[in-house]
Amino acid sequence: MNTPAIAFENIEKNFATLKVLKGISGEINRGEVVAIIGSSGCGKSTLLRCFNRLETIDAGQLTVNGINLHQPNFNNQQLRQLRTQVGIVFQQFNLFPHLSVLENLILAPCKVLSKTRKESAQTAGFYLEKVGLFDKASAYPEQLSGGQKQRAAIARSLCMNPQIMLFDEPTSALDPELVGEVLQVMQQLASEGMTMVVVTHEMQFAREVAHRVIFMDKGIVAEQGLSQEILTNPQSDRLRLFLSRLNGRELGVKS
């Protein structure tokens, strides 16, 4: 029996007196693409950041790729193992501006995985080709468009050969005309069987690419299910309202 890539049970996360995650449970299966949706401040990005321990939970159980993230003796070696297995792509691209695209991609494999520069460069070339940026290897981040920067950031994560990819609203900082090129790369990864968790407001991507959708509201999982079903036939009034407001914005209607 295959164990889930990510399993979380009754997890809680507080920032001082603010309860952000309120005892939520769920799992992400291997090879599955799950979209997490919800209004700003609902806790979806916090949940995602818990999956690679950028945030630590205050209560509950969280296991990622077989690693128990909420144990008293969790150590730096386990954190290092987790970060090599779980890649994350943020809203802002976080590329080092003083390094070329290639240097950005080979830095972590050389330092963290102890790979040779030649081997790291070969891997980087493979993934730059994959995201359509092979000709930009010697360019610097300031010479790239927003979409190109985000594709470079995805390639950088892939150079670590992760088993799970996390995306925190990867298109929210992009001009609308650049969104498609990033989503196309993500769709390709999904088609190849990459386990992916995507915090997003891109409902078309969630509907067409994600296997399941988790809708969060005020720190809880308010509704979840198969993407086609939950987005076309929401069961809760809260999700119906959320989707109607998104559709209104897309149509230029003030809510």
Side-chain angles (χ1 to χ4, degrees):
M1 180 177 179
N2 289 333
T3 58
I6 302 172
F8 48 104
E9 184 177 357
N10 295 323
I11 66 173
E12 299 178 7
K13 175 64 183 177
N14 306 320
F15 293 108
T17 59
L18 179 63
K19 295 183 180 298
V20 180
L21 302 178
K22 304 174 182 178
I24 65 174
S25 302
E27 60 183 36
I28 312 295
N29 296 315
R30 298 186 187 280
E32 189 176 36
V33 180
V34 175
I36 304 178
I37 65 173
S39 301
S40 296
C42 70
K44 56 187 186 295
S45 289
T46 299
L47 175 62
L48 191 81
R49 290 168 64 88
C50 289
F51 291 162
N52 77 335
R53 221 168 188 264
L54 286 173
E55 300 288 354
T56 55
I57 63 174
D58 296 310
Q61 294 294 323
L62 174 58
T63 302
V64 178
N65 220 30
I67 304 172
N68 182 357
L69 271 58
H70 191 51
Q71 54 180 306
N73 57 346
F74 190 88
N75 56 44
N76 287 334
Q77 183 178 354
Q78 290 169 308
L79 181 61
R80 182 188 180 105
Q81 180 184 359
L82 175 73
R83 297 278 173 81
T84 60
Q85 296 174 357
V86 183
I88 187 165
V89 176
F90 300 94
Q91 298 177 34
Q92 302 297 332
F93 325 112
N94 293 347
L95 298 171
F96 292 109
H98 63 290
L99 298 179
S100 68
V101 170
L102 179 63
E103 295 294 336
N104 266 282
L105 267 62
I106 69 174
L107 184 64
C110 287
K111 289 187 174 294
V112 178
L113 301 181
S114 299
K115 292 189 175 183
T116 65
R117 181 179 176 85
K118 180 179 180 180
E119 184 181 8
S120 298
Q122 289 175 338
T123 301
F126 173 81
Y127 285 115
L128 285 174
E129 181 74 38
K130 192 181 191 71
V131 302
L133 289 177
F134 189 79
D135 61 336
K136 299 294 184 180
S138 60
Y140 285 81
E142 66 177 9
Q143 298 172 305
L144 304 180
S145 69
Q148 289 171 333
K149 290 176 185 176
Q150 194 61 291
R151 284 187 282 150
I154 293 172
R156 179 180 57 184
S157 287
L158 292 173
C159 283
M160 297 294 286
N161 193 29
Q163 298 178 37
I164 301 168
M165 285 287 288
L166 310 175
F167 295 86
D168 188 7
E169 299 196 37
T171 60
S172 64
L174 302 179
D175 292 333
E177 63 268 22
L178 301 177
V179 169
E181 64 188 60
V182 175
L183 294 181
Q184 185 176 8
V185 171
M186 294 171 63
Q187 187 167 2
Q188 181 183 354
L189 289 176
S191 69
E192 295 170 355
M194 174 66 76
T195 304
M196 297 167 57
V197 187
V198 186
V199 170
T200 185
H201 282 105
E202 297 291 338
M203 291 303 106
Q204 184 175 352
F205 174 84
R207 186 180 297 108
E208 296 178 358
V209 180
H211 299 100
R212 286 191 298 120
V213 168
I214 295 174
F215 171 60
M216 293 187 63
D217 183 43
K218 298 178 181 178
I220 66 169
V221 175
E223 192 170 340
Q224 61 180 311
L226 298 176
S227 57
Q228 293 284 350
E229 294 178 5
I230 196 172
L231 294 176
T232 56
N233 187 30
Q235 299 301 300
S236 66
D237 291 339
R238 184 66 190 89
L239 179 53
R240 279 193 287 271
L241 178 61
F242 172 77
L243 293 174
S244 69
R245 286 177 172 172
L246 275 185
N247 290 335
R249 282 202 295 269
E250 290 171 359
L251 295 171
V253 178
K254 293 183 179 179
S255 56

